[in-house]
Amino acid sequence: MNNYQPHPAADLFPMMPDDQYQAFKRDIKENGFQQSITLYKGQILDGRNRYRAAVELNMLDELPIGEIDDDTEIDPFQWVISRNLHRRHLNESQRAKIAAKLAKLKHGDVASQKDDRQICLSQKEAANMLQVSERSVRSAKVVEELGSPELNEAVERGEVAVSKAAKIAKEVPKAKQAEVAKKKPAKKKKQTDKYSKGEQAKETKGQSIDRDTDQEAVEDFLRCRSPLNRLKKLVAELTDHQKMMLLEFLK
């Protein structure tokens, strides 16, 4: 069997995390291959993890292979996205990373694939296709450009949020980025209620009355916020003589 390489479109999506891959490989060893790999122009378009397991388990002769006819007109990038987007459980940061890769691609980027109708998208179009925000795609682009390989891999595995990774990429030297990304934020100290039970027990009767008075003043102010209520309050404070003068004035 040939030594197949992955198609550039297949590399848009991350490989399985190691723990999942080891379980996947054990299942293949016990139960064999349940699906074939898919080749397009001699490269693996789908099934990189199955091919890797076949190589490691020395089971290449048992690996089923499907092949898309070279004469079939497909966009391999669109094909891979359509096949993988909904069958994989990817978080928003992982999808943003894929969108950032898509937005970087231009027609003819891969010389050996000149006949392919390679996808060419703006950041907005890539964000819509992967169902993420443009802001997340911009953050993923920062990680692509300034982040270390380890930091990029951590985002692709879904271990670090892309927004956090972008901040680290901009502020931390590459050699320390992976270490900083692993650190968990310090827990905030629990705030104690100003009027906890212990303090309420110490509160004097006079202090309680003062608080009640203040509360009433606030409520009174809120009631009098409208001009009509303020007028009512003013009239209530007038003497009888002043009220008569006001009635005469209003006639």
Side-chain angles (χ1 to χ4, degrees), residues 30 32 64 88 132 141 155 166 185 213 227:
E30 293 171 10
R88 292 214 189 186
V132 294
K141 185 181 177 184
V155 176
T213 303

Side-chain angles (χ1 to χ4, degrees), residues 203-221:
E203 188 178 71
T204 64
K205 186 177 179 181
Q207 288 173 322
S208 178
I209 292 170
D210 287 342
R211 281 202 297 118
D212 289 341
T213 303
D214 290 342
Q215 180 70 22
E216 288 172 3
V218 170
E219 291 174 355
D220 190 44
F221 169 76

Side-chain angles (χ1 to χ4, degrees), residues 150-215:
E150 295 80 8
L151 185 63
N152 275 279
E153 287 169 10
V155 176
E156 289 178 358
R157 289 193 299 266
E159 296 170 358
V160 181
V162 72
S163 55
K164 177 182 176 181
K167 187 174 181 182
I168 291 170
K170 287 189 285 188
E171 298 176 0
V172 179
K174 284 188 177 182
K176 293 187 176 181
Q177 287 176 2
E179 180 186 342
V180 173
K182 289 177 184 176
K183 288 183 180 177
K184 293 183 179 178
K187 290 183 179 178
K188 292 182 180 179
K189 290 184 179 179
K190 199 172 180 181
Q191 293 182 346
T192 52
D193 187 2
K194 183 180 175 182
Y195 290 103
S196 63
K197 288 183 179 179
E199 288 175 337
Q200 283 180 355
K202 294 176 187 176
E203 188 178 71
T204 64
K205 186 177 179 181
Q207 288 173 322
S208 178
I209 292 170
D210 287 342
R211 281 202 297 118
D212 289 341
T213 303
D214 290 342
Q215 180 70 22

Side-chain angles (χ1 to χ4, degrees), residues 84-198:
N84 285 276
L85 187 56
H86 299 294
R87 77 176 183 182
R88 292 214 189 186
H89 301 291
L90 302 175
N91 62 32
E92 181 169 351
S93 293
Q94 289 173 297
R95 297 199 308 276
K97 197 75 167 55
I98 295 166
K101 289 180 184 178
L102 277 174
K104 279 173 62 178
L105 290 173
K106 292 183 174 56
H107 294 290
D109 272 356
V110 185
S112 62
Q113 303 296 323
K114 335 178 165 180
D115 296 330
D116 292 352
R117 295 178 298 110
Q118 289 183 41
I119 198 166
C120 184
L121 301 173
S122 66
Q123 282 189 11
K124 183 176 182 180
E125 290 168 332
N128 289 337
M129 180 175 286
L130 273 297
Q131 300 167 17
V132 294
S133 66
E134 283 187 72
R135 182 178 179 180
S136 292
V137 179
R138 287 195 294 271
S139 294
K141 185 181 177 184
V142 170
V143 179
E144 287 265 336
E145 294 175 351
L146 304 178
S148 66
E150 295 80 8
L151 185 63
N152 275 279
E153 287 169 10
V155 176
E156 289 178 358
R157 289 193 299 266
E159 296 170 358
V160 181
V162 72
S163 55
K164 177 182 176 181
K167 187 174 181 182
I168 291 170
K170 287 189 285 188
E171 298 176 0
V172 179
K174 284 188 177 182
K176 293 187 176 181
Q177 287 176 2
E179 180 186 342
V180 173
K182 289 177 184 176
K183 288 183 180 177
K184 293 183 179 178
K187 290 183 179 178
K188 292 182 180 179
K189 290 184 179 179
K190 199 172 180 181
Q191 293 182 346
T192 52
D193 187 2
K194 183 180 175 182
Y195 290 103
S196 63
K197 288 183 179 179

Side-chain angles (χ1 to χ4, degrees), residues 1 50 72 74 103 106-107 144 149 166 220 245:
M1 180 178 283
R50 291 189 289 281
T72 304
I74 68 162
K106 292 183 174 56
H107 294 290
E144 287 265 336
D220 190 44
M245 290 177 62

